Amino acid sequence: MGNLIPQKTLGEKIMSEMLNVKDLITVGIFAVIIIVLIFAFGMLGYIPILMLALPILAALICGIPYMLFLTRVSKFGMVTLLGLILGIVMFLSGHTWVPILVFTLFAFIADCILKMGNYSSIKNSIISHGVFIMGIMGNMLPFFILRDYFTTIETTCKAPQKAGFFGDPVSRPYFRTLAFL
């Protein structure tokens, strides 16, 4: 009699595992939501004591849309793409190139964790969020790994301040004019 359940061919299996337009739109929508939340709560960093709590707040707040995003994820690469988009946006907003690498790396690891749980394990979803949100370290990591670069910027920016706001007042013609008035 034969098999009553139609079997997928190899080509159909490969096509069903590839990202399609619907998946890309889903990634884009959730990337915007997470970016807005990260930037909104990133403004709390202007309060010095909250700067230390910022990664914890970001993890808690961004956990909600991330878990909603995971309800739509069924293919490998969607979380990695989300991390890549977040890293690129951080780069375009004035951070160094490091967040692109860090967000993408941690998103790839989170994607692998989800794949091990077949995208349905609650335990793996929680662990993947913990790994994914560690990508936010990419924003602060340059201060540690590129210390010489930031020290150079600091010294060059402070040089005009050390000379005074207007530089050397003796050599400025407007100061000479003011001295005779």
Side-chain angles (χ1 to χ4, degrees), residues 8-27 72-79 81 111 115 119:
K8 289 184 177 180
T9 64
L10 180 62
E12 290 173 340
K13 286 181 184 180
I14 292 173
M15 289 303 291
S16 68
E17 292 177 6
M18 290 179 57
L19 298 177
N20 56 29
V21 176
K22 181 184 171 195
D23 297 329
L24 297 176
I25 291 171
T26 301
V27 170
R72 308 270 185 184
V73 172
S74 60
K75 297 176 185 169
F76 187 81
M78 289 179 73
V79 177
L81 185 59
D111 223 349
K115 182 77 172 170
Y119 299 102

Side-chain angles (χ1 to χ4, degrees), residues 16-113:
S16 68
E17 292 177 6
M18 290 179 57
L19 298 177
N20 56 29
V21 176
K22 181 184 171 195
D23 297 329
L24 297 176
I25 291 171
T26 301
V27 170
I29 290 171
F30 281 97
V32 168
I33 293 170
I34 291 173
I35 288 166
V36 167
L37 289 174
I38 287 175
F39 277 91
F41 283 90
M43 295 299 154
L44 292 174
Y46 287 112
I47 303 169
I49 194 134
L50 291 179
M51 185 66 168
L52 298 173
L54 197 54
I56 297 167
L57 288 173
L60 291 173
I61 299 302
C62 293
I64 298 166
Y66 182 80
M67 289 299 172
L68 289 172
F69 173 67
L70 292 185
T71 62
R72 308 270 185 184
V73 172
S74 60
K75 297 176 185 169
F76 187 81
M78 289 179 73
V79 177
T80 306
L81 185 59
L82 178 67
L84 178 65
I85 291 170
L86 289 175
I88 290 171
V89 169
M90 293 297 167
F91 174 73
L92 293 176
S93 69
H95 294 274
T96 61
W97 50 267
V98 176
I100 296 173
L101 296 177
V102 174
F103 263 113
T104 307
L105 174 69
F106 282 110
F108 178 74
I109 294 168
D111 223 349
C112 292
I113 291 170

